Amino acid sequence: MADLDPHPDPDLDLGVLTEAVDSAMYVVTAASGGRRAGCLVGFASQCSIDPPRFVVWLSTANHTYEVARTASHLTVHVLDRGQRALAELFGGETGDRVDKFARTGWRPGRDGSPVLSDVRVWFTGRIEQVFAGGDHVGFVLCPVELSGPGGGGRAPGALRFGDVRDVEAGHPA
């Protein structure tokens, strides 16, 4: 493998790529030590087929990251296009100042990880590995509980980055 430049061009902006890809948006929740947290996440992906694994990236500036660091499980919620209000709540507010869970329905899931009542497609994963990736940290999850759209139908279209790009973040990245 070629040596990687440890100091890439600081003016390089991936915004054009981000807009072209227009990734799905998720709400990731965690609980640990009597605290719970959740945030809007745009950096996430399945990262293994066999065994099944999924990775979510949390900003180190985020309250959810602080709770997730000591959690054993995270719950990943796939927002649909009609759930912009949830995206605004979990992306535009910070758990440092606001109890987001007082503003929406939820129940405790595996190891207390909050499961949002209004989200049809979600999974809870056991944290298998954690690693740094710049200003975000990756949490590799092993799915242990899954909820699909139900009724044998397809899930509605996922909320995308383009749908929420104007939401002002509760914390800077």
Side-chain angles (χ1 to χ4, degrees):
M1 188 160 140
D3 289 334
L4 299 177
D5 181 359
H7 306 288
D9 183 347
D11 295 324
L12 186 64
D13 181 2
L14 293 178
V16 172
L17 177 65
T18 302
E19 292 207 14
V21 172
D22 201 22
S23 299
M25 300 301 293
Y26 307 89
V27 169
V28 175
T29 58
S32 177
R35 300 183 304 159
R36 60 181 180 260
C39 64
L40 187 65
V41 171
F43 303 156
S45 177
Q46 182 174 348
C47 59
S48 176
I49 295 170
D50 187 16
R53 297 292 184 269
F54 195 89
V55 64
V56 296
W57 294 89
L58 300 177
S59 169
T60 58
N62 196 301
H63 174 72
T64 303
Y65 166 74
E66 290 301 322
V67 175
R69 287 178 43 201
T70 57
S72 62
H73 294 77
L74 301 179
T75 300
V76 179
H77 304 81
V78 182
L79 299 183
D80 68 44
R81 285 223 157 98
Q83 295 181 307
R84 181 181 165 96
L86 273 177
E88 289 174 350
L89 174 62
F90 283 90
E93 300 290 347
T94 173
D96 295 323
R97 294 187 296 269
V98 172
D99 181 359
K100 300 174 194 181
F101 299 96
R103 298 181 179 188
T104 190
W106 67 280
R107 67 170 177 79
R110 187 74 61 105
D111 199 38
S113 184
V115 176
L116 302 178
S117 303
D118 292 335
V119 180
R120 292 177 26 188
V121 180
W122 57 269
F123 80 92
T124 298
R126 182 180 61 249
I127 300 170
E128 296 272 307
Q129 185 179 7
V130 178
F131 55 97
D135 60 4
H136 283 63
V137 171
F139 291 78
V140 177
L141 306 175
C142 170
V144 297
E145 188 177 7
L146 172 71
S147 174
R154 289 183 47 135
L159 188 74
R160 314 297 287 183
F161 170 73
D163 299 322
V164 296
R165 81 179 64 174
D166 62 331
V167 173
E168 190 172 325
H171 268 287

